[in-house]
Amino acid sequence: DADVTQTPRNRITKTGKRIMLECSQTKGHDRMYWYRQDPGLGLRLIYYSFDVKDINKGEISDGYSVSRQAQAKFSLSLESAIPNQTALYFCATSDGLGARETQYFGPGTRLLVL
Amino acid sequence: AQKITQTQPGMFVQEKEAVTLDCTYDTSDQSYGLFWYKQPSSGEMIFLIYQGSYDEQNATEGRYSLNFQKARKSANLVISASQLGDSAMYFCAMRTSGGADGLTFGKGTHLIIQP
């Protein structure tokens, strides 16, 4: 079984709809991240969480919210989806070893907003 | 601010040849880590190799090695004896010890291995 799972893997929605992307991990890591990837670009950080009570905004948090329901679960919500939020979304976890920490990514969720 | 630059949008290489993917970085922090990830057409991000700023030796992981030149702020990925399955996007990324906000990624290099 995969260590980091994301659901759904693909999603099509309409402008204005609220949607939630879910991430679960079995690696036992405290740190979890949400990134988005647009064509021709690298990944950009949306939100990150160092534990259940710690949520932080990343580079591009506008239009998104997150919930850390448990150590193993971190959800990303789009309150009112818009077409420019069409992207590939990744969840990641890390072992928190400072600059040395390695992030492990889920398989990604492809989101299309019409 | 941290920045990663990958100057090769795409590369074509013959199978079995060695490949060097370029990466330069910019940071004022003394402690940082450099990472390479592979993204095949299926989309997942696969961790390949890590280099710490204080590591004295270049990192190696199987056919992957990292040519780390600290003074030049470069961290090039070298793939030896390339294979068709190496065709993918490759991303260089950095994290600093003082940076609490995840990894900073470059825009990637699309590598195509030709038979």
Side-chain angles (χ1 to χ4, degrees):
Chain A
D1 289 340
D3 294 320
V4 184
T5 58
Q6 292 183 234
T7 56
R9 295 293 312 278
N10 297 280
R11 179 74 183 270
I12 300 174
T13 191
K14 294 182 178 180
T15 297
K17 294 291 188 180
R18 181 182 188 276
I19 67 164
M20 179 182 290
L21 309 183
E22 299 186 342
C23 176
S24 296
Q25 54 111 348
T26 59
K27 299 187 76 69
H29 291 163
D30 287 327
R31 300 187 172 198
M32 298 187 73
Y33 304 80
W34 276 104
Y35 293 87
R36 69 175 276 176
Q37 183 182 25
D38 297 282
L41 300 177
L43 279 66
R44 293 182 293 166
L45 185 66
I46 306 172
Y47 270 95
Y48 60 102
S49 170
F50 286 173
D51 64 41
V52 174
K53 296 181 180 180
D54 180 78
I55 303 290
N56 303 280
K57 293 182 177 180
E59 178 188 355
I60 53 166
S61 60
D62 288 348
Y64 302 94
S65 62
V66 291
S67 173
R68 185 80 183 266
Q69 300 95 325
Q71 186 208 33
K73 296 184 181 297
F74 192 36
S75 300
L76 175 72
S77 293
L78 286 67
E79 298 300 327
S80 180
I82 56 177
N84 75 1
Q85 291 178 312
T86 293
L88 179 57
Y89 290 84
F90 286 101
C91 174
T93 74
S94 73
D95 47 25
L97 297 178
R100 188 176 185 85
E101 72 175 64
T102 298
Q103 295 193 10
Y104 299 92
F105 287 80
T109 295
R110 293 188 184 275
L111 175 65
L112 173 62
V113 182
L114 300 176
Chain B
Q2 303 156 35
K3 186 177 181 180
I4 295 285
T5 302
Q6 295 180 252
T7 57
Q8 307 152 308
M11 289 184 68
F12 289 88
V13 174
Q14 289 296 118
E15 189 179 9
K16 301 182 183 178
E17 290 184 352
V19 181
T20 297
L21 304 181
D22 295 340
C23 172
T24 58
Y25 61 92
D26 189 23
T27 180
S28 57
D29 286 356
Q30 298 301 309
S31 178
Y32 51 87
L34 296 155
F35 304 80
W36 278 92
Y37 285 85
K38 173 183 178 182
Q39 186 179 40
S41 59
S42 52
E44 70 269 32
M45 295 289 288
I46 303 168
F47 167 69
L48 295 178
I49 196 167
Y50 162 84
Q51 178 81 45
S53 58
Y54 293 119
D55 293 344
E56 295 184 352
Q57 293 190 341
N58 288 341
T60 60
E61 290 287 348
R63 293 187 300 112
Y64 303 109
S65 61
L66 202 152
N67 183 2
F68 181 47
Q69 299 186 44
K70 194 170 182 177
R72 299 179 64 182
K73 293 190 173 180
S74 74
N76 299 339
L77 176 70
V78 180
I79 306 174
S80 63
S82 58
Q83 302 171 357
L84 296 179
D86 293 332
S87 295
M89 285 291 294
Y90 289 81
F91 291 95
C92 180
M94 175 173 64
R95 188 179 191 282
T96 67
S97 60
D101 54 356
L103 292 170
T104 299
F105 282 83
K107 293 185 177 182
T109 295
H110 189 190
L111 175 64
I112 297 175
I113 307 298
Q114 297 175 312

